[in-house]
């Protein structure tokens, strides 16, 4: 992840994303850079418009907001279950009352 962050730092500073630039940031952070990972990242980023990727990533959390809907659905289901239980209890009471009426009726 630190390699991607390094590339983003270079991009935000308006610098070209190069192997040396990423390696220097990793070294400045006190870690030993992995040249193979850096080469792979620079190669992969050469085909990507970083600004567009950032805009797309910024939109993604907003799209995830409807995930709260299942909680609302669960509440609706719980209410339905409660209503069913209440209806069943009422039905049992009515049957019990009808049964008592037959005894005296």
């Amino acid at each position: 992840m630190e390699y991607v962050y390094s590339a983003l730092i270079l991009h935000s500073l308006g610098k070209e994303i190069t192997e040396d630039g990423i390696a220097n940031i990793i070294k400045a952070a006190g870690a030993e850079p992995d040249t193979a990972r850096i080469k792979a990242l620079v190669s992969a980023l050469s085909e990507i418009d970083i600004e567009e990727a950032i805009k797309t990533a910024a939109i993604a959390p907003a799209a995830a907001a409807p995930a709260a809907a299942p909680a609302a659905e669960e509440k609706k289901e719980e209410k339905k279950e409660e209503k069913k239980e209440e209806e069943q209890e009422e039905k049992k009471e009515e049957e019990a009352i009808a049964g008592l009426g037959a005894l005296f009726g």
Side-chain angles (χ1 to χ4, degrees):
M1 194 58 89
E2 60 273 7
Y3 297 97
V4 174
Y5 289 143
S6 299
L8 288 173
I9 289 170
L10 290 170
H11 175 74
S12 70
L13 294 173
K15 306 273 184 177
E16 184 179 352
I17 299 173
T18 63
E19 293 174 21
D20 289 334
I22 293 174
N24 289 337
I25 291 173
I26 299 294
K27 285 178 188 175
E32 189 64 33
D34 180 355
T35 55
R37 291 177 90 185
I38 294 172
K39 285 181 181 183
L41 178 64
V42 171
S43 175
L45 290 177
S46 67
E47 301 173 7
I48 295 176
D49 180 9
I50 294 176
E51 283 299 319
E52 186 65 30
I54 291 172
K55 288 178 187 175
T56 303
I59 293 172
E73 290 179 19
E74 288 178 17
K75 288 183 181 179
K76 287 181 182 178
E77 288 180 20
E78 288 177 10
K79 288 182 181 179
K80 286 181 182 178
E81 289 177 13
E82 288 176 11
K83 285 184 180 180
K84 286 181 182 178
E85 289 176 7
E86 289 176 12
E87 290 173 359
Q88 288 175 351
E89 288 178 19
E90 288 176 9
K91 190 174 183 180
K92 287 180 183 178
E93 288 176 12
E94 290 174 3
E95 288 175 356
I97 292 172
L100 287 175
L103 288 174
F104 299 105

